[in-house]
Amino acid sequence: MTSLDRFLLTDRVAIVTGAGRGLGFEIARGFCDAGAHVVITGRNSETLAQACAELKANGGSADYTAFDIADRKASADALKDILATHGGIDILVNNVGARDRRSLDAFTDDEIATFMETDLLAAISLSRDVARSMKASGYGRLIFLTSILGTVALPGDNLYPVAKMGLTGLTRALAVEYGPYGITSNAIAPGMFATETNAHLATDAQMLEFTKMRVPLQRWGRPEEIAGAALFLASEAGSFVNGQTLTVDGGHSIRM
């Protein structure tokens, strides 16, 4: 195996949650380009179908399944179907993450519970269930999308950093628990990326000034720039990396 071959994912099966668009889609595209079969998930069947068609049009091997990650039964049923179809799962990317910018006083207890179910608890359950199949093969990669906002708090954005720090803790805990089975657990903490959701901000004059002041590379990240980090952690090239968080933010988090 050459050094470049170590970045390939030939014959690997990967699940990427929340991959109908944005960073999840770019990670799925990167995995397809590296030779993996990728199952993309999300709530919107139409969005997933379009994304899957694009992956296939570019020569990738992919399929999709639509379900709400916060619905435990739907998630378990989807996983059962994926395992029945593919026989095993080698890579899981927990990418789903909702955002709700409000003061804490504005949230009810039920709303807090729902938010945490989507952004944190679902990833715990899905990782546990997928890891059971990984144990049988002695190989696995668990990857979590956190955020640089897991360590930096903003006014009116209270629950998001709590969930992201929870994922960071989960990453480290599972690295210890599943490491003896040949399963690594790592996280990626993105900074400011110009995805479909916030592309308008990347071209806003005030935001551009802020970016030049705070991000050493003086720009927003391009969505496709997340794929390399995920590919490294998913491949043999990152086989001895475990329990770590790789920050991909153009240097934003190191500048005051």
Side-chain angles (χ1 to χ4, degrees):
M1 178 181 290
T2 68
S3 57
L4 290 179
D5 288 338
R6 293 180 62 81
F7 286 91
L8 296 178
L9 299 177
T10 307
D11 297 327
R12 298 297 185 191
V13 175
I15 297 176
V16 183
T17 68
R21 61 181 184 173
L23 299 186
F25 176 76
E26 294 299 336
I27 290 172
R29 192 208 304 265
F31 285 0
C32 282
D33 290 345
H37 178 83
V38 183
V39 182
I40 60 174
T41 81
R43 290 183 297 182
N44 189 301
S45 295
E46 183 177 345
T47 299
L48 290 173
Q50 292 173 351
C52 191
E54 185 173 344
L55 293 175
K56 290 180 176 180
N58 291 327
S61 176
D63 62 87
Y64 70 92
T65 179
F67 63 95
D68 184 349
I69 195 74
D71 184 331
R72 298 292 180 87
K73 184 180 185 306
S75 182
D77 289 345
L79 180 57
K80 182 179 179 180
D81 290 342
I82 293 169
L83 287 171
T85 300
H86 300 290
I89 298 164
D90 303 299
I91 303 159
L92 169 64
V93 179
N94 285 287
N95 170 66
V96 170
R99 195 78 175 269
D100 193 339
R101 295 179 177 90
R102 288 188 279 166
S103 69
L104 189 58
D105 286 343
F107 284 92
T108 66
D109 286 347
D110 286 344
E111 289 173 331
I112 292 172
T114 298
F115 185 91
M116 289 300 169
E117 184 69 47
T118 299
D119 276 33
L120 177 59
L121 300 182
I124 297 174
S125 298
L126 185 59
S127 298
R128 175 200 62 200
D129 296 345
V130 169
R132 287 172 178 154
S133 71
M134 290 177 172
K135 286 180 183 180
S137 66
Y139 178 96
R141 301 284 189 266
L142 300 174
I143 301 173
F144 302 88
L145 268 288
T146 60
S147 172
I148 61 171
L149 292 179
T151 55
V152 179
L154 297 174
D157 196 15
N158 302 284
L159 300 182
Y160 190 73
V162 174
K164 293 304 183 181
M165 280 301 289
L167 289 176
T168 299
L170 178 65
T171 297
R172 295 167 66 85
L174 297 189
V176 174
E177 180 162 350
Y178 294 142
Y181 299 95
I183 302 169
T184 65
S185 175
N186 293 289
I188 300 170
M192 296 162 58
F193 275 82
T195 61
E196 297 94 334
T197 303
N198 54 25
H200 64 288
L201 293 176
T203 57
D204 178 81
Q206 288 186 326
M207 283 302 301
L208 284 173
E209 286 303 312
F210 172 83
T211 303
K212 290 179 180 179
M213 179 178 66
R214 293 298 305 272
V215 181
L217 289 184
Q218 299 194 343
R219 64 176 177 84
W220 285 55
R222 296 182 293 272
E224 64 270 18
E225 291 180 302
I226 202 72
L231 180 58
F232 167 66
L233 294 175
S235 69
E236 284 300 313
S239 57
F240 203 55
V241 181
N242 193 28
Q244 305 304 310
T245 298
L246 177 56
T247 301
V248 185
D249 69 348
H252 185 175
S253 57
I254 64 170
R255 184 166 182 176
M256 294 293 293

